[in-house]
Structures are given as structure tokens and as C-alpha cells.
Amino acid sequence: MSAPRTFKYIVVGDMSVGKSCLLLQFLERRFNPAHDMTVGVEFGTRIVHFGSENVKLHIWDTAGQESFRSITKSYYRGAVGALLVYDVTRRITFDHLLRWADDLNKYCSADLVVALVGNKTDLPQREVSYEEGESFAREANMLFFETSAKTSDGVDTAFIESARVILEHTTGRKYPKIEEKEVVDVVAGETQEDIKPDGGCPC
């Protein structure tokens, strides 16, 4: 297989929408309901295979609190993909999407691929319908997914399908969709300190 391409991702949205839990589920296939609040940013890496193409996702999970926004904006630079996450059980997190989308438009490149993600679909109470999320994404030219970080439903799809779209934009070639159950590799040994905010390495 070829050497992996590297795609920098950022995960943004209000606090407590489940951004860190989505990342944990995607990277380690586990759910931690008592996950500590993100302070600044957290980082993870995973490789996905699209036939002979390997794509390494460098994923930056940003804090949702207002007090950290000036810090986390520095990590937007160089991103080619973004997950914009809201909580389907809290409408206020959906109402704040325009503010987050404005930040992405302001601090990221024009060809950024954004996936709108409605999380916590496992919970019975819902304040934002699937149709509302889909409509917002369509009008904003975003991909759209609903997920449950707890059950893992839709989590791989959100990351992998958005990576496929970025790969197609990058290469000009078409790649088939891959199923969540297909094997991908977790890359160990890299930490936040090993990677610069702009997606480069310290070497």
C-alpha cells in the first residue's frame, strides 16, 4: 500500500455535546460517560484504508467553552475536515451552529469539508429532529450524520465518509463507500506534543 496521506481534522461545537466521546469511540471503540471536560485541545490519530490509498486522520478535539475559543482557533489552520457537533437533546446547541460555522469560514480554507453531526441519538428526549439537522447541513453545504457516541452508531461513518469525500476532492478520483465494520488501524505512539497545531510535525 502507498504511504498514507495526512488529513487534519478539527472537532468543534458547544461544550458537553459529546465531542471527546465521539473521538474516544472512533479511536478506541469505547465510551466513557464520565469523560473530563476538554481543556484547550485533545488529539488522536487513526489510519483508514480506501483500497490502495491510506489516509491518516490527525484529529483535534477542541474545547467548547467560550473561555478557550481564542486558544482553539489557532488549531483551525491547516484543517481539511471538520466535524461540527451538536446535541440532538439540547436545542440551544443547535441554535449555536451558525456561530461555529462562522468561525470555520473565517479561520479555515474555503475547501474545508464540514460534517454536521447530531450526537446523543441514544437518548429518548429529542429537541432537534433529523429533518432539521439535514436541512441545516444542506443549506450550509455540509455533510450530515447522526451519531451516538455511547452505542457507536454512526461514529465511524461520520469520520470515514467525510475522509472519503476529502480524498476524492484531493485526488479527483472516485472511491467506494466503506462500511463501519471494515477494519481500520489505530496508530499508537503519537501524542499532542508530537504534532504542531498547523498539522505539521516538530521535526
Side-chain angles (χ1 to χ4, degrees):
M1 288 190 175
S2 60
R5 300 173 184 269
T6 298
F7 293 164
K8 179 180 177 179
Y9 269 60
I10 53 174
V11 185
V12 300
D14 281 6
M15 62 182 298
S16 301
V17 296
K19 300 187 299 298
S20 297
C21 289
L22 285 170
L23 183 59
L24 185 65
Q25 184 64 253
F26 181 62
L27 296 179
E28 301 183 19
R29 300 215 183 275
R30 64 186 180 92
F31 176 72
N32 179 5
H35 198 288
D36 291 337
M37 180 180 67
T38 301
V39 177
V41 295
E42 294 180 357
F43 173 78
T45 299
R46 185 170 172 179
I47 287 182
V48 183
H49 304 303
F50 295 91
S52 61
E53 289 279 3
N54 301 320
V55 176
K56 180 185 289 188
L57 305 185
H58 280 176
I59 308 166
W60 298 87
D61 166 29
T62 65
Q65 305 96 298
E66 185 67 32
S67 58
F68 288 111
R69 291 186 74 184
S70 62
I71 299 173
T72 59
K73 286 173 185 175
S74 65
Y75 288 85
Y76 287 30
R77 188 174 69 251
V80 296
L83 264 62
L84 174 53
V85 186
Y86 67 95
D87 179 348
V88 300
T89 72
R90 292 192 293 138
R91 175 162 291 276
I92 191 170
T93 66
F94 184 78
D95 294 339
H96 290 165
L97 289 178
L98 281 176
R99 183 179 65 175
W100 290 105
D102 285 344
D103 280 354
L104 293 175
N105 289 332
K106 186 182 301 183
Y107 299 105
C108 296
S109 66
D111 57 357
L112 179 76
V113 172
V114 182
L116 180 65
V117 176
N119 191 36
K120 303 190 182 182
T121 57
D122 55 285
L123 298 179
Q125 68 273 21
R126 179 190 274 263
E127 295 184 357
V128 183
S129 69
Y130 180 94
E131 292 73 20
E132 287 177 290
E134 185 179 47
S135 177
F136 183 100
R138 182 171 57 252
E139 292 177 8
N141 195 30
M142 299 175 180
L143 305 173
F144 178 62
F145 307 95
E146 285 197 336
T147 61
S148 167
K150 181 177 182 179
T151 67
S152 81
D153 287 348
V155 175
D156 276 7
T157 298
F159 282 99
I160 295 172
E161 178 62 9
S162 57
R164 185 185 67 83
V165 171
I166 297 168
L167 184 62
E168 290 189 345
H169 288 179
T170 302
T171 65
R173 297 167 55 192
K174 292 292 184 182
Y175 295 85
K177 293 184 178 181
I178 61 178
E179 300 295 328
E180 286 195 11
K181 64 178 179 291
E182 293 192 37
V183 175
V184 293
D185 297 330
V186 175
V187 179
E190 288 184 332
T191 66
Q192 179 174 321
E193 289 72 26
D194 296 321
I195 308 296
K196 291 183 178 180
D198 62 3
C201 71
C203 54

